[in-house]
Amino acid sequence: MHKIIVLAWRNLFRNKRRTLITMSAIAFGLALLVVSSAMGDGGHNQMIRYGVANQAGHLVVQGEGFQKERKVEILVPDTAEVVATAKRLAPDAKVVQRVFFDGLLTSPRSAVGVAMVGVEAGPEAEVGDLDTKIVEGRYLTDEDSQGIIIGTLLAEALEVAPGDKVVLMTQQNGDIQNVLFRVTGLFKTGMAELDGFYAHVPLKKAQEAFSLGTEVNQVSLHLPDPDDTDALALRLREALASASISAEVLPWQEALPELYEFILLDDGGMYVLILIIAIVVAFGILNTVLMSVLERTHELGVMLSLGMTPWQVAAMILTEAVLLGLISIVVGSGVGGLMAWPLIVNGIDVSEMVAGQGAVGAAGVPMDMMLYGELSAVKVVVFARITFGLTLLAALYPTWKAARLHPVEAIHHH
């Protein structure tokens, strides 16, 4: 076996130019996958963190039917018991309560339809980051009874500033009612649909406006380890069922289906890229190994005549492919890691790429203009295995062809 490896190594570099071109193509393809994966995962995880923090949670409990209809009157049954159960099952989790509603927000000069969320100021600031987006005024506090924070674009449309009064026109039981708020702060996420049509108000004010008592639309759980989500969901469903509380218990993938579907679709683009690179790599390897066999047909015939078995010839050809693949994936993984490292540490500013278009985002979830890559060691290993597997697969036909050579015919081959 040692002699076969030595022969394979020598043969591999007999045509250095062709071998190096093939290795470069394989390594570059693998490096491209590593970098693309790092940037894709970074963007996806950033959007997931924002969506989980501000719009749902790793796990949410909602009234039955709320996910589909999003009506303010669909409440979590026995909210206090649900909150207590959630804290008992996940003592390290942060639990927040929210009320979702919409209406027409008016000022003396304009009116705009908005989506609003009633929040507990302190707990909400611990899990979300909207309080860090305040550019004028301040975020809500637990003492605010009529405060409201709105986006900068909404403030421009209403022509209001911190300290000004606005009135929300909404319906309750078919009757129009007006709710007075005072603007405490303006936020800017960079995403038009949030900055122009979104607002936070105190939870108690929202509950009073819609006569909800102490009930809410959503109890949101934010976990230290997101990997605990599925196990906790099962335990929480069982606990609520035992307490005869009928409610929806949803992981973030079900609570934010549009975001989850966007990420799956975007990942699909990665699979297309993998397929394209796989085809290029496979044809490159096939061409290199097959040409090597054809060019050495006479030589292989001599080896067979001198006592080398067809299986030893096949093993030599296959070993050449193995060496080609191993060197390529080591180089490709290293180059890919080096290319991804600055993106992971320093990030990339995408603001110029989307100049005039606002923030990049999907399903109402914005993405920061500074995009940081996140490299998954598991994915690098998977990509390397795929590349190595393709190398062996593409080498099977040339190997089979070499093993079927007839010594006399091969010797007289020109």
Side-chain angles (χ1 to χ4, degrees), residues 356-399:
Q357 301 179 30
V360 179
V365 178
M367 182 187 298
D368 285 343
M369 292 298 96
M370 281 302 298
L371 180 60
Y372 291 88
E374 296 184 21
L375 188 60
S376 167
V378 173
K379 284 192 175 182
V380 173
V381 172
V382 169
F383 293 150
R385 286 181 175 178
I386 291 173
T387 303
F388 186 68
L390 285 171
T391 302
L392 297 183
L393 186 64
L396 289 180
Y397 174 69
T399 301

Side-chain angles (χ1 to χ4, degrees), residues 139-396:
Y139 188 66
L140 300 172
T141 66
D142 292 330
E143 289 72 36
D144 284 322
S145 60
Q146 292 185 312
I148 183 174
I149 61 164
I150 60 177
T152 51
L153 296 181
L154 180 55
E156 290 177 10
L158 295 175
E159 299 182 39
V160 297
D164 291 341
K165 295 179 181 180
V166 291
V167 175
L168 176 71
M169 296 179 60
T170 187
Q171 284 190 343
Q172 181 183 2
N173 300 322
D175 297 326
I176 299 292
Q177 66 172 344
N178 297 323
V179 185
L180 177 67
F181 294 100
R182 186 180 296 275
V183 178
T184 63
L186 309 181
F187 62 82
K188 183 177 182 179
T189 65
M191 195 166 186
E193 59 185 285
L194 292 179
D195 295 344
F197 307 96
Y198 188 69
H200 274 190
V201 300
L203 178 64
K204 289 184 179 179
K205 183 67 174 179
Q207 290 170 326
E208 291 173 4
F210 292 95
S211 303
L212 304 181
T214 59
E215 309 300 325
V216 298
N217 300 128
Q218 182 187 88
V219 175
S220 171
L221 284 74
H222 301 256
L223 311 180
D225 185 357
D227 292 337
D228 294 337
T229 299
D230 291 339
L232 178 60
L234 180 62
R235 290 160 52 208
L236 186 55
R237 290 190 187 104
E238 292 175 348
L240 295 181
S242 298
S244 300
I245 297 176
S246 180
E248 298 176 340
V249 180
L250 308 175
W252 75 265
Q253 293 92 335
E254 295 180 40
L256 298 171
E258 292 182 3
L259 175 61
Y260 184 55
E261 289 169 6
F262 168 82
I263 291 173
L264 291 180
L265 183 62
D266 203 42
D267 280 340
M270 173 64 70
Y271 300 141
V272 173
L273 178 62
I274 292 175
L275 178 61
I276 293 172
I277 293 176
I279 293 173
V280 173
V281 168
F283 275 103
I285 297 167
L286 178 61
N287 175 71
T288 298
V289 180
L290 184 58
M291 288 299 294
S292 176
V293 170
L294 294 176
E295 288 175 356
R296 291 182 289 146
T297 300
H298 175 79
E299 178 184 322
L300 294 174
V302 173
M303 289 181 176
L304 289 168
S305 298
L306 293 176
M308 199 172 190
T309 68
W311 290 112
Q312 287 176 320
V313 171
M316 181 182 68
I317 301 300
L318 193 60
T319 302
E320 292 176 22
V322 169
L323 294 173
L324 179 69
L326 288 176
I327 295 172
S328 299
I329 63 176
V330 169
V331 174
S333 299
V335 171
L338 290 174
M339 292 172 63
W341 186 250
L343 302 177
I344 296 171
V345 176
N346 302 319
I348 180 173
D349 189 349
V350 299
S351 57
E352 293 184 1
M353 304 178 190
V354 295
Q357 301 179 30
V360 179
V365 178
M367 182 187 298
D368 285 343
M369 292 298 96
M370 281 302 298
L371 180 60
Y372 291 88
E374 296 184 21
L375 188 60
S376 167
V378 173
K379 284 192 175 182
V380 173
V381 172
V382 169
F383 293 150
R385 286 181 175 178
I386 291 173
T387 303
F388 186 68
L390 285 171
T391 302
L392 297 183
L393 186 64
L396 289 180

Side-chain angles (χ1 to χ4, degrees), residues 46-185:
Q46 186 185 96
M47 296 175 73
I48 290 171
R49 284 192 292 269
Y50 185 93
V52 166
N54 295 284
Q55 299 182 12
H58 294 107
L59 195 64
V60 300
V61 182
Q62 301 171 158
E64 287 192 337
F66 179 78
Q67 184 65 28
K68 182 179 180 180
E69 300 184 33
R70 307 295 289 188
K71 292 182 178 179
V72 69
E73 59 267 23
I74 301 179
L75 304 173
V76 176
D78 199 351
T79 298
E81 179 63 24
V82 170
V83 170
T85 302
K87 290 182 177 180
R88 175 172 56 81
L89 295 178
D92 294 331
K94 294 179 180 178
V95 182
V96 300
Q97 303 176 56
R98 296 173 178 142
V99 170
F100 298 86
F101 58 100
D102 52 31
L104 188 68
L105 196 61
T106 66
S107 71
R109 289 165 290 280
S110 184
V112 178
V114 295
M116 305 181 72
V117 186
V119 300
E120 301 171 287
E124 189 70 30
E126 290 183 5
V127 301
D129 67 351
L130 203 58
D131 59 309
T132 67
K133 307 290 185 182
I134 299 295
V135 294
E136 190 175 347
R138 60 171 175 79
Y139 188 66
L140 300 172
T141 66
D142 292 330
E143 289 72 36
D144 284 322
S145 60
Q146 292 185 312
I148 183 174
I149 61 164
I150 60 177
T152 51
L153 296 181
L154 180 55
E156 290 177 10
L158 295 175
E159 299 182 39
V160 297
D164 291 341
K165 295 179 181 180
V166 291
V167 175
L168 176 71
M169 296 179 60
T170 187
Q171 284 190 343
Q172 181 183 2
N173 300 322
D175 297 326
I176 299 292
Q177 66 172 344
N178 297 323
V179 185
L180 177 67
F181 294 100
R182 186 180 296 275
V183 178
T184 63

